[in-house]
Amino acid sequence: MEIKEGTLSKIAYLLILLIWLIGAALTGIGVYLFLETREIGTCINDELAPLMVVLIAIGGVLLVTAMLGLVGVCKKKSVVLSGFLAAMIIVLLAQFAAVVIMFIFESSVRYYMQDGMSHSLLFYGKGGDNAKFTESWDYVQENHKCCGQYGWADYTTPNASNWHSTNFGSLPDTCCKTKTDKCGSNVIDKSDLKKEPSGMYTEGCYDIMEDYIKNWMTIAGSGALVFMFVQVMAIFLNISLHRRYREHEDYQLQSKKVKQVKDAQPDAQRPGV
C-alpha cells in the first residue's frame, strides 16, 4: 500500500528535524571536546584537536543541510530537495570516512599518548616557551585526579621529568587531593622513595586519559553509526518525496502549457465552438 504524500511529508519533516537536532548536538559536543583537547592536547598529543574540528564541521554542515531539507518539504520544491539530497549524500560519505579514521586512531591511541606524554613530561616545570607543557599537565592532573604519566614516582625519576632537578622531594600542587599553595612541597620521604605520599593522587594519568579518550571516541563512533542509519532513512524517504513533488510540478507545468495554447487560439478554432 502506497503511503499518502501528506503522511510521507510529515515523516520526512520529523526525520529532517531529528537530523537538525543531531547536527546541533554534534556541533556542541565538538566544541566541548575541541576546548578540552586544547587543554589536554599539549600534554597528550596535539593531533587530537583536528579530529574535533572535523566533528564541528560535520555538525555545522548538517545544521545548514537540514534547514534546506525543511524548506524543501514545507514549500514542496523538488529543486530544493535535490540540493538537500546531494548535500546529505556528501555528508554521509564524509561521516563514514571520519568514523573509519576514528576507529583506526582509537587502535593507535596508546602509541600516540605514550609518546606524547613521555615527551611533554620532560618539560614540566620549565618556563618560557615550555610553560605550555606545565599548564597542560596541571590541567590534566587536577581535573582527572592523577599524578605523573605512570604515577607520582615519575617526579622522582631524573629521566622522566625536569621537575626532579629543581624540586626533588616535592610534587606539583595539582597532584594534591586538596589543592592549596605549596601543598605538594616536601611530601616525599627522600629516605624511602617507594613510600606513597599522603594526601596526594598517586595513580598515573596515562591509563586514566587513555580510558577517557577511548570512551569518548567509542561514544562518538557509535553515535555516528546510529546517526548514519537515520540519514539513510531520510535520504530514501526524501527520494520518494522528491519524485512525487517532481511529478506534481511536471503536471502543473504541462497543464499551464495546455491552458496557454488554448488561450492563444481564436474562439472559432477551439474544439466544441
Side-chain angles (χ1 to χ4, degrees):
M1 186 173 113
E2 191 175 10
I3 302 176
K4 292 182 180 180
E5 183 180 305
T7 303
L8 199 64
S9 297
K10 289 177 182 178
I11 297 172
Y13 184 90
L14 290 174
L15 275 177
I16 296 172
L17 185 60
L18 179 60
I19 289 172
W20 187 90
L21 291 173
I22 294 174
L26 283 177
T27 304
I29 292 171
V31 170
Y32 167 76
L33 291 178
F34 176 75
L35 294 175
E36 179 74 0
T37 52
R38 283 186 65 185
E39 296 289 348
I40 68 175
T42 305
C43 164
I44 296 173
N45 196 298
D46 287 330
E47 295 182 21
L48 290 172
L51 288 175
M52 303 308 112
V53 173
V54 171
L55 191 63
I56 295 171
I58 290 175
V61 171
L62 282 174
L63 286 173
V64 176
T65 303
M67 289 298 297
L68 188 66
L70 290 173
V71 171
V73 172
C74 291
K75 297 292 185 181
K76 296 185 177 182
K77 296 292 185 181
S78 63
V79 64
V80 179
L81 275 185
S82 295
F84 167 73
L85 288 168
M88 282 295 291
I89 291 171
I90 293 172
V91 171
L92 188 64
L93 293 174
Q95 277 181 265
F96 179 76
V99 169
V100 171
I101 293 171
M102 190 174 294
F103 280 116
I104 291 174
F105 183 83
E106 184 179 3
S107 64
S108 306
V109 69
R110 176 172 286 271
Y111 164 76
Y112 283 102
M113 285 185 58
Q114 189 172 33
D115 183 62
M117 294 181 82
S118 296
H119 175 264
S120 62
L121 189 61
L122 290 172
F123 298 96
Y124 185 88
K126 289 188 176 181
D129 293 337
N130 295 316
K132 60 182 181 179
F133 295 108
T134 303
E135 293 170 2
S136 185
W137 266 102
D138 281 343
Y139 178 87
V140 169
Q141 291 177 154
E142 184 173 0
N143 288 278
H144 294 275
K145 300 180 179 180
C146 54
C147 188
Q149 183 174 1
Y150 298 109
W152 65 273
D154 286 342
Y155 290 108
T156 67
T157 307
N159 294 330
S161 175
N162 168 71
W163 181 266
H164 176 274
S165 60
T166 56
N167 297 278
F168 182 63
S170 299
L171 291 176
D173 290 345
T174 49
C175 287
C176 298
K177 291 181 179 179
T178 303
K179 184 184 174 185
T180 56
D181 189 38
K182 305 295 183 182
C183 62
S185 296
N186 301 313
V187 294
I188 297 173
D189 185 350
K190 296 179 182 179
S191 63
D192 185 5
L193 296 179
K194 293 183 179 181
K195 182 180 179 182
E196 288 189 358
S198 61
M200 311 297 291
Y201 297 124
T202 56
E203 187 178 356
C205 298
Y206 178 79
D207 290 333
I208 291 176
M209 294 309 298
E210 182 184 22
D211 291 340
Y212 176 78
I213 292 172
K214 281 188 173 182
N215 286 340
W216 267 110
M217 294 187 75
T218 300
I219 291 170
S222 301
L225 290 175
V226 173
F227 177 50
M228 286 166 68
F229 175 73
V230 175
Q231 282 178 278
V232 170
M233 288 179 60
I235 288 172
F236 280 109
L237 194 64
N238 280 280
I239 286 174
S240 177
L241 204 57
H242 174 271
R243 177 179 58 80
R244 296 190 186 193
Y245 288 169
R246 186 61 182 269
E247 288 174 354
H248 182 67
E249 289 169 355
D250 288 344
Y251 175 77
Q252 286 185 320
L253 182 61
Q254 189 64 31
S255 299
K256 186 177 180 181
K257 286 182 178 180
V258 171
K259 186 178 183 302
Q260 287 175 342
V261 170
K262 286 183 178 181
D263 291 343
Q265 290 179 346
D267 291 344
Q269 295 181 4
R270 292 181 184 178
V273 178

